[in-house]
Amino acid sequence: VQLQESGPGLVNPSQTVSLTCTVSGGSITTNYYYWSWMRQPLGKRLEWMGAIAWSGSTDYNPSLKSRTSISMDTSKNQFTLQLSSVTPEDTAVYYCARAATVVPGPDDVWGPGTQVTVSS
């Protein structure tokens, strides 16, 4: 299976950013897999943002829960992250991943990442 992130590279503060992860080589509804979003600001630690399960249930990082929504489109084999009210502190490389656990590890399947910059 392969994952590929896509979305706007530049977003204005206070807007909502939407990122899509397109999955190939496997179905997002395959039992017992979780599809996650992670991010890493430059020079900082990787942060788990949330995940959606094969069943459609979701889990979120409590620190981001009020601004984060993850959904899936089974017809397109994609899942999407929406992050609202963005600020420059949300500037980071965003990754999607597939794992058998809610929080993916380094040995799971990851996309290459996409840069999101929040700036006016």
Short mmCIF file of all heavy atoms in Angstrom, two decimals, residues 60-87:
data_model
loop_
_atom_site.label_atom_id
_atom_site.label_comp_id
_atom_site.label_asym_id
_atom_site.label_seq_id
_atom_site.Cartn_x
_atom_site.Cartn_y
_atom_site.Cartn_z
N TYR A 60 -8.88 11.65 18.51
CA TYR A 60 -8.13 12.88 18.30
C TYR A 60 -7.19 13.15 19.48
O TYR A 60 -7.49 12.81 20.62
CB TYR A 60 -9.07 14.07 18.12
CG TYR A 60 -9.97 13.97 16.92
CD1 TYR A 60 -11.33 13.70 17.06
CD2 TYR A 60 -9.47 14.14 15.63
CE1 TYR A 60 -12.17 13.59 15.96
CE2 TYR A 60 -10.30 14.05 14.52
CZ TYR A 60 -11.65 13.78 14.69
OH TYR A 60 -12.46 13.67 13.59
N ASN A 61 -6.10 13.84 19.15
CA ASN A 61 -5.22 14.38 20.17
C ASN A 61 -6.02 15.41 20.97
O ASN A 61 -6.56 16.35 20.37
CB ASN A 61 -4.00 15.01 19.51
CG ASN A 61 -2.98 15.52 20.51
OD1 ASN A 61 -3.31 15.99 21.59
ND2 ASN A 61 -1.72 15.43 20.13
N PRO A 62 -6.14 15.25 22.28
CA PRO A 62 -6.96 16.20 23.06
C PRO A 62 -6.55 17.66 22.87
O PRO A 62 -7.41 18.54 22.91
CB PRO A 62 -6.72 15.74 24.50
CG PRO A 62 -6.40 14.29 24.38
CD PRO A 62 -5.61 14.17 23.11
N SER A 63 -5.27 17.89 22.64
CA SER A 63 -4.82 19.28 22.49
C SER A 63 -5.27 19.90 21.18
O SER A 63 -5.23 21.13 21.04
CB SER A 63 -3.29 19.33 22.58
OG SER A 63 -2.70 18.70 21.46
N LEU A 64 -5.70 19.09 20.23
CA LEU A 64 -6.12 19.60 18.91
C LEU A 64 -7.58 19.27 18.61
O LEU A 64 -8.10 19.70 17.57
CB LEU A 64 -5.24 18.99 17.81
CG LEU A 64 -3.77 19.35 17.84
CD1 LEU A 64 -2.99 18.46 16.87
CD2 LEU A 64 -3.56 20.82 17.48
N LYS A 65 -8.23 18.56 19.50
CA LYS A 65 -9.55 18.01 19.21
C LYS A 65 -10.57 19.07 18.81
O LYS A 65 -11.40 18.85 17.92
CB LYS A 65 -10.07 17.25 20.43
CG LYS A 65 -11.36 16.50 20.18
CD LYS A 65 -11.75 15.66 21.37
CE LYS A 65 -13.03 14.87 21.09
NZ LYS A 65 -13.40 14.00 22.23
N SER A 66 -10.50 20.24 19.44
CA SER A 66 -11.50 21.27 19.16
C SER A 66 -11.34 21.86 17.76
O SER A 66 -12.29 22.48 17.24
CB SER A 66 -11.39 22.39 20.19
OG SER A 66 -10.14 23.05 20.08
N ARG A 67 -10.19 21.66 17.12
CA ARG A 67 -9.95 22.25 15.80
C ARG A 67 -9.79 21.21 14.69
O ARG A 67 -9.56 21.58 13.54
CB ARG A 67 -8.68 23.12 15.83
CG ARG A 67 -8.72 24.25 16.80
CD ARG A 67 -7.61 25.25 16.50
NE ARG A 67 -6.28 24.71 16.75
CZ ARG A 67 -5.28 24.76 15.89
NH1 ARG A 67 -5.45 25.28 14.68
NH2 ARG A 67 -4.08 24.27 16.22
N THR A 68 -9.89 19.93 15.02
CA THR A 68 -9.54 18.87 14.08
C THR A 68 -10.73 18.00 13.73
O THR A 68 -11.53 17.65 14.60
CB THR A 68 -8.41 18.00 14.68
OG1 THR A 68 -7.31 18.82 15.06
CG2 THR A 68 -7.93 16.97 13.66
N SER A 69 -10.80 17.63 12.45
CA SER A 69 -11.81 16.69 12.00
C SER A 69 -11.19 15.79 10.93
O SER A 69 -10.52 16.28 10.02
CB SER A 69 -13.01 17.43 11.41
OG SER A 69 -13.96 16.51 10.92
N ILE A 70 -11.39 14.49 11.09
CA ILE A 70 -10.89 13.52 10.11
C ILE A 70 -12.08 12.73 9.58
O ILE A 70 -12.92 12.26 10.35
CB ILE A 70 -9.85 12.57 10.74
CG1 ILE A 70 -8.65 13.36 11.24
CG2 ILE A 70 -9.40 11.53 9.71
CD1 ILE A 70 -7.62 12.52 11.99
N SER A 71 -12.13 12.59 8.25
CA SER A 71 -13.21 11.86 7.61
C SER A 71 -12.64 10.99 6.50
O SER A 71 -11.48 11.16 6.11
CB SER A 71 -14.25 12.83 7.04
OG SER A 71 -13.65 13.70 6.10
N MET A 72 -13.45 10.06 6.00
CA MET A 72 -13.00 9.22 4.91
C MET A 72 -14.02 9.21 3.78
O MET A 72 -15.22 9.37 4.01
CB MET A 72 -12.70 7.79 5.37
CG MET A 72 -13.87 7.02 5.93
SD MET A 72 -13.57 5.23 6.13
CE MET A 72 -12.05 5.17 7.06
N ASP A 73 -13.50 9.05 2.56
CA ASP A 73 -14.34 8.93 1.37
C ASP A 73 -14.01 7.57 0.77
O ASP A 73 -13.00 7.42 0.08
CB ASP A 73 -14.04 10.06 0.38
CG ASP A 73 -14.95 10.05 -0.83
OD1 ASP A 73 -15.49 8.97 -1.17
OD2 ASP A 73 -15.13 11.11 -1.44
N THR A 74 -14.86 6.60 1.05
CA THR A 74 -14.57 5.24 0.60
C THR A 74 -14.63 5.10 -0.91
O THR A 74 -13.95 4.26 -1.48
CB THR A 74 -15.52 4.24 1.26
OG1 THR A 74 -16.87 4.61 0.97
CG2 THR A 74 -15.34 4.23 2.77
N SER A 75 -15.43 5.95 -1.57
CA SER A 75 -15.54 5.86 -3.03
C SER A 75 -14.25 6.28 -3.72
O SER A 75 -13.94 5.83 -4.83
CB SER A 75 -16.71 6.71 -3.53
OG SER A 75 -16.44 8.09 -3.32
N LYS A 76 -13.48 7.14 -3.05
CA LYS A 76 -12.21 7.61 -3.60
C LYS A 76 -11.00 6.98 -2.92
O LYS A 76 -9.86 7.25 -3.31
CB LYS A 76 -12.12 9.14 -3.49
CG LYS A 76 -13.16 9.88 -4.29
CD LYS A 76 -12.99 11.39 -4.13
CE LYS A 76 -14.03 12.15 -4.93
NZ LYS A 76 -13.89 13.62 -4.77
N ASN A 77 -11.26 6.17 -1.90
CA ASN A 77 -10.18 5.56 -1.12
C ASN A 77 -9.25 6.64 -0.56
O ASN A 77 -8.01 6.55 -0.68
CB ASN A 77 -9.40 4.55 -1.95
CG ASN A 77 -8.96 3.34 -1.13
OD1 ASN A 77 -9.68 2.90 -0.22
ND2 ASN A 77 -7.79 2.82 -1.42
N GLN A 78 -9.86 7.65 0.03
CA GLN A 78 -9.12 8.77 0.60
C GLN A 78 -9.61 9.07 2.01
O GLN A 78 -10.75 8.75 2.36
CB GLN A 78 -9.34 10.05 -0.24
CG GLN A 78 -8.83 9.98 -1.66
CD GLN A 78 -9.21 11.22 -2.46
OE1 GLN A 78 -10.21 11.87 -2.19
NE2 GLN A 78 -8.39 11.55 -3.46
N PHE A 79 -8.76 9.69 2.81
CA PHE A 79 -9.21 10.25 4.06
C PHE A 79 -8.64 11.66 4.18
O PHE A 79 -7.59 11.98 3.61
CB PHE A 79 -8.88 9.36 5.27
CG PHE A 79 -7.42 9.12 5.53
CD1 PHE A 79 -6.78 9.77 6.58
CD2 PHE A 79 -6.70 8.21 4.78
CE1 PHE A 79 -5.44 9.50 6.86
CE2 PHE A 79 -5.36 7.95 5.04
CZ PHE A 79 -4.74 8.60 6.09
N THR A 80 -9.39 12.50 4.89
CA THR A 80 -9.13 13.94 4.87
C THR A 80 -9.00 14.49 6.29
O THR A 80 -9.73 14.08 7.19
CB THR A 80 -10.27 14.66 4.16
OG1 THR A 80 -10.32 14.20 2.79
CG2 THR A 80 -10.04 16.17 4.15
N LEU A 81 -8.07 15.42 6.44
CA LEU A 81 -7.88 16.17 7.68
C LEU A 81 -8.34 17.60 7.46
O LEU A 81 -7.97 18.23 6.46
CB LEU A 81 -6.40 16.18 8.07
CG LEU A 81 -6.01 17.15 9.19
CD1 LEU A 81 -6.49 16.61 10.54
CD2 LEU A 81 -4.50 17.37 9.21
N GLN A 82 -9.15 18.10 8.37
CA GLN A 82 -9.48 19.51 8.38
C GLN A 82 -9.01 20.10 9.71
O GLN A 82 -9.36 19.57 10.78
CB GLN A 82 -10.97 19.74 8.19
CG GLN A 82 -11.44 19.44 6.77
CD GLN A 82 -12.85 19.93 6.52
OE1 GLN A 82 -13.74 19.71 7.35
NE2 GLN A 82 -13.06 20.58 5.39
N LEU A 83 -8.25 21.18 9.63
CA LEU A 83 -7.75 21.86 10.81
C LEU A 83 -8.20 23.32 10.72
O LEU A 83 -7.83 24.02 9.76
CB LEU A 83 -6.23 21.78 10.88
CG LEU A 83 -5.55 22.43 12.08
CD1 LEU A 83 -5.94 21.70 13.37
CD2 LEU A 83 -4.03 22.44 11.91
N SER A 84 -8.98 23.74 11.68
CA SER A 84 -9.58 25.07 11.61
C SER A 84 -8.80 26.09 12.43
O SER A 84 -7.94 25.75 13.25
CB SER A 84 -11.03 25.01 12.12
OG SER A 84 -11.04 24.61 13.49
N SER A 85 -9.10 27.36 12.17
CA SER A 85 -8.52 28.47 12.92
C SER A 85 -7.00 28.37 13.01
O SER A 85 -6.41 28.46 14.10
CB SER A 85 -9.13 28.52 14.33
OG SER A 85 -10.54 28.61 14.27
N VAL A 86 -6.37 28.17 11.87
CA VAL A 86 -4.92 27.94 11.89
C VAL A 86 -4.16 29.22 12.24
O VAL A 86 -4.62 30.33 11.97
CB VAL A 86 -4.42 27.37 10.54
CG1 VAL A 86 -5.04 26.00 10.29
CG2 VAL A 86 -4.68 28.32 9.40
N THR A 87 -3.00 29.02 12.83
CA THR A 87 -2.08 30.10 13.17
C THR A 87 -0.70 29.72 12.63
O THR A 87 -0.48 28.58 12.22
CB THR A 87 -2.00 30.32 14.68
OG1 THR A 87 -1.29 29.21 15.26
CG2 THR A 87 -3.38 30.43 15.31
#
